[in-house]
Each structure stands twice: as C-alpha cells, then as structure tokens.
Amino acid sequence: MIENWSPIDSFRGNSSNPATGISRACPVCQSLESRILLTLKDFQFYSDSAVLPKRMTLTQAQCRSCFTIYLNPGYSSYGFRALFAEAGCSYGATSVRSQEQRAWLDNRNLLKPGSRLLDVGCYDGKFLSELPDAVEKVGFDIDAPAIERGRSLYADKKIQFVHGDFESFSPEEAPDVITMYHVLEHLPDPVAALKNLRQFSHAETRLVIEIPILENGKTNDINGFLSVQHMTHFSRRSFHNALKMSGWTILDENNRLEYGGYRVLAKPCEMQSGILPDIEDLSRALDYLSSWHSAVRTANEKLTGIVAEDRLVIWGGGAHLEFLYQTTALFDMAPSRDCLIVDSDSLKQGKSWRGISCCAPEVLSQVDWSSTTLVVSSYGGQESIFKGALQAGVPEEKIVKLYDKVCVY
Ligand SMILES: [Zn+2]
C-alpha cells in the first residue's frame, strides 16, 4: 500500500519573495522599452519548501530597440541561489560534446603545443581534462564547489583553476584561446562579461563561443527555447551586436544543428557603439511562440483521454512537470484527484512538488492500475521512462506519452 497520495497544490507553504528578481534594462543595448512575449505566473522552482522562496513570476520580454529577448525581472544573485539550489550543473552538460569540440578546435589549429587555453564556465574541468597535455589549461567558474571538485578530480592534469565573477575575474597571463560553451545565455550582464574577456586578451587571442539561438530554437518540447535557466535568449543578430559592443569581431561561424547550438570564432577589435537591430527578430520570436503553442496543444490533446476519477502517477519530477502545470489542463480537470510522482533521481525522492510526494520508481509495483494513469513527464527521457514503466508492470494502455517524436538537442 502506498500511503502518500495527495492532490495538486496541497502544500501551502511555498512562497515568493521580490528579492529573487531584479528589474533590468535590455542586456545588449540597455534600452528600457520592451514588449512582453510570455508570462508564467508563480513558476515553481523544483521541490516544496516552507523556508526558501521557490516561486517567481517569469516574464520574457523583447527589447523594442534591438529586439533581444530577455528575462525581466532577471534573477538576483540571492534569487539564483534560492531558486536553483536543486538544479545541479547550472551551465548545461557539455561532456557528451567534448570530443566534437576538441576536433573543431584542432581543425582550426587552436590546440597548438605550448598555447594557453582558458575555458570560461569550466564547471569541474572535465572538458579541459580531455585536451592535449601540451596545451596549458586554465579553467574559470563562478561555482566554487565545482572548482574545488575539479582541483581534486584532475590534480594530475596540470589545470589551473580560477574562481571569481564573470565581469571582473582575470587570469594571470593573457590566453591564446578562450572557449565559452553555453554560458553567456545564463549571465545577467553578458556584454560586461565579453568586455572583461576582451580586456585581458592579447591582439591574437581567439574566442570560441557557443550559445543556443532563436533561429535554431524550434522544437516540439513544451519546455523549449525560452528556458527558465537562461537570462538572455539571443538571436544571431543580437549576439553579433553584443560581440561588437564588447570589442570582438567574428572570423567564422557555424550552426551545430544536431542540438540547436550556434558557434562563432572571434578576435579582438575596437569596441563599436552602433547597434544594428534586425526587425525580423520580432517575426522570428512570434514564429517560435507559434511552434511552442502548437507543442503545448499537442501535449494537451494527449491528456484529454485521462478519466477524471483515475488516480495519476507522474514519472518525472523536474522542470518539465512545472511546464505541464503551467501550460496544460492536466491538473485543471480534477484538482482534487490523488497524485504521486516517481523519479529515479534520488535527490528528488522523499521531497514533494506542489504537495505531491516523489518516490522511487519501485513503488509502481504496488499501484492498482485499474483506475490509475501514468503520465511520462520528460522530453529527452520519454522513451526510456516508457520502457521502465512497462518493465515495472504498468499496462501499456495506462501510459500517456506527450510526444509523437523526440529530437535530440
Ligand atoms: Zn536592446
């Protein structure tokens, strides 16, 4: 018997605190004029807490001068710590791509013996640890525990680790190559961070930087391009403007279409003040929103077959579940229905989300499936969760998948 079934929003202790957000100007051109593209009211960040503020209303705005899309208010440093306390690696996983990244650098002669490479946002240094021994390696991150972990994990790799702030840190010597993979979109002031890199570089320093861009942002995932982890949602043009303003000129660019990334190779130049907006970025934003709404509509249609009196098991207690709550009618149809979350992540087990307890998937064998439905709440993990549910004895007709196809990105 499972005792801890409970309905949605049965925990009343969650709160919001205005100190988690900071109202901001456009992160590229500093204009205060923007239009709102999307609002998610009282978005809950991970598990319930009676102590920490876990909710914040998220608004995605688009600058009316340069058309950059950005979160406004952004997270304050207190808000970032409180809201993302359970998020783990905050700059996305780059380890699976490190071989491709290394080959790309090698093909452009950027891994020369004796050269000095700085990885900005290095986390625990895994990418650096896989580079050739003859390259001098420096890693920087704002995450002090990750830096400490890197120092002990890769003690034999002669990596110099630096901890500090993106806008002010400085390595002991000017780097020959700077890499920055999927970091810039997380920073509150990306132009200040790029200017900082520029001021400690020498004339021949090469900057390799990769971000997700609006042009590559369409997916059928309800937790899509406008990620709550990102403070700026660049387009190709708004990124070019940020580089120009901070004294970098582009030598080479390419799209990593397999996961929607956009990578440039840049070198130092004079800082330029003139912003060149691309009016098409408004159309692109609307086009993206239209594809996102279509993804939400498809997911919502998959949920309409769930019988109202059924109990609900949701497999997947991450941010995707909050998007289900925010955007679909899953919990609107029967707000007093008993629910349970299962997740194989031991950090989530024993906690609750909006009052619903999270358990290990082992409990599935105790569920009476005659009046219970299981919803798979994951995009990338949908197929493996589906298989896991079948193996746990959940009848196939009682499993709801939200996506007809899943693209790896
Ligand atoms: Zn702007």
Side-chain angles (χ1 to χ4, degrees):
M1 269 303 282
I2 309 167
E3 304 295 338
N4 36 5
W5 295 89
S6 37
I8 187 75
D9 286 329
S10 49
F11 178 81
R12 298 283 169 193
N14 289 308
S15 61
S16 58
N17 180 339
T20 55
I22 284 187
S23 180
R24 60 203 286 243
C26 168
V28 173
C29 78
Q30 302 303 318
S31 165
L32 292 168
E33 299 300 322
S34 65
R35 64 164 63 81
I36 291 172
L37 293 181
L38 180 71
T39 298
L40 298 172
K41 188 168 165 274
D42 287 332
F43 191 94
Q44 179 162 323
F45 289 78
Y46 313 99
S47 66
D48 294 326
S49 172
V51 187
L52 279 180
K54 300 304 289 275
R55 292 189 185 171
M56 178 170 155
T57 293
L58 301 179
T59 302
Q60 305 292 357
Q62 185 166 36
C63 174
R64 297 184 73 151
S65 295
C66 78
F67 304 111
T68 300
I69 304 171
Y70 61 103
L71 184 70
N72 189 24
Y75 306 116
S76 65
S77 52
Y78 163 71
F80 190 82
R81 283 197 309 276
L83 300 170
F84 289 95
E86 297 163 82
C89 175
S90 50
Y91 300 119
T94 58
S95 58
V96 288
R97 296 172 196 147
S98 58
Q99 278 192 329
E100 183 278 326
Q101 288 161 341
R102 175 181 167 160
W104 195 93
L105 294 171
D106 214 11
N107 287 338
R108 283 156 186 79
N109 208 18
L110 296 172
L111 294 176
K112 281 185 283 207
S115 65
R116 198 175 168 82
L117 184 143
L118 166 70
D119 188 33
V120 177
C122 68
Y123 197 54
D124 62 11
K126 182 164 193 311
F127 170 68
L128 286 170
S129 78
E130 292 169 5
L131 295 182
D133 289 341
V135 174
E136 255 190 77
K137 296 174 272 285
V138 185
F140 161 79
D141 209 286
I142 194 170
D143 185 336
I147 286 283
E148 275 314 310
R149 209 159 50 246
R151 279 183 184 137
S152 64
L153 271 174
Y154 304 114
D156 57 332
K157 293 282 184 180
K158 294 194 194 133
I159 301 170
Q160 189 197 328
F161 283 99
V162 182
H163 172 250
D165 289 316
F166 282 95
E167 296 83 5
S168 61
F169 86 98
S170 184
E172 280 168 20
E173 282 178 63
D176 302 308
V177 177
I178 303 172
T179 53
M180 195 177 190
Y181 297 112
H182 291 263
V183 173
L184 197 68
E185 64 272 23
H186 296 268
L187 306 183
D189 192 345
V191 170
L194 290 170
K195 281 182 177 167
N196 185 44
L197 303 182
R198 170 72 178 81
Q199 65 84 27
F200 63 63
S201 291
H202 59 67
E204 294 306 312
T205 298
R206 292 294 180 263
L207 171 65
V208 177
I209 183 158
E210 184 176 299
I211 57 167
I213 55 167
L214 180 60
E215 283 87 340
N216 300 342
K218 279 192 208 169
T219 78
N220 58 332
D221 183 353
I222 62 166
N223 180 2
F225 174 71
L226 297 179
S227 163
V228 301
Q229 300 214 356
H230 297 168
M231 298 267 269
T232 310
H233 311 284
F234 290 100
S235 66
R236 178 183 278 109
R237 181 64 65 82
S238 61
F239 179 42
H240 288 189
N241 281 326
L243 284 167
K244 220 167 70 168
M245 290 184 68
S246 45
W248 294 97
T249 186
I250 295 171
L251 298 171
D252 186 10
E253 56 176 331
N254 73 10
N255 288 299
R256 315 306 308 174
L257 286 179
E258 64 276 25
Y259 52 84
Y262 172 66
R263 188 180 295 167
V264 304
L265 174 66
K267 70 170 189 179
C269 67
E270 291 301 312
M271 285 187 203
Q272 297 163 52
S273 54
I275 291 262
L276 213 58
D278 184 354
I279 189 171
E280 294 271 326
D281 278 350
L282 174 54
S283 305
R284 283 186 193 105
L286 296 171
D287 198 26
Y288 167 73
L289 287 174
S290 148
S291 81
W292 179 73
H293 280 294
S294 159
V296 173
R297 183 205 152 134
T298 304
N300 195 57
E301 279 169 359
K302 306 278 185 198
L303 298 166
T304 52
I306 301 175
V307 182
E309 59 268 28
D310 270 8
R311 286 176 158 184
L312 208 59
V313 175
I314 301 135
W315 189 328
H320 186 278
L321 180 53
E322 179 65 20
F323 269 91
L324 264 184
Y325 176 93
Q326 290 281 341
T327 63
T328 73
L330 176 62
F331 296 102
D332 303 343
M333 294 183 288
S336 55
R337 150 167 61 201
D338 273 339
C339 304
L340 190 71
I341 298 167
V342 296
D343 200 299
S344 43
D345 178 0
S346 60
L347 292 173
K348 296 194 179 79
Q349 296 163 7
K351 296 179 182 163
S352 65
W353 165 85
R354 292 185 177 270
I356 306 174
S357 303
C358 184
C359 308
E362 282 69 39
V363 302
L364 293 177
S365 63
Q366 303 167 44
V367 174
D368 169 11
W369 294 103
S370 63
S371 59
T372 307
T373 299
L374 184 142
V375 174
V376 180
S377 175
S378 173
Y379 183 79
Q382 174 175 277
E383 292 312 310
S384 63
I385 289 175
F386 178 66
K387 278 188 202 131
L390 288 178
Q391 279 164 8
V394 185
E396 188 168 350
E397 68 276 12
K398 288 291 186 175
I399 305 174
V400 175
K401 294 200 280 186
L402 303 174
Y403 304 105
D404 292 326
K405 68 174 171 51
V406 170
C407 315
V408 179
Y409 70 93

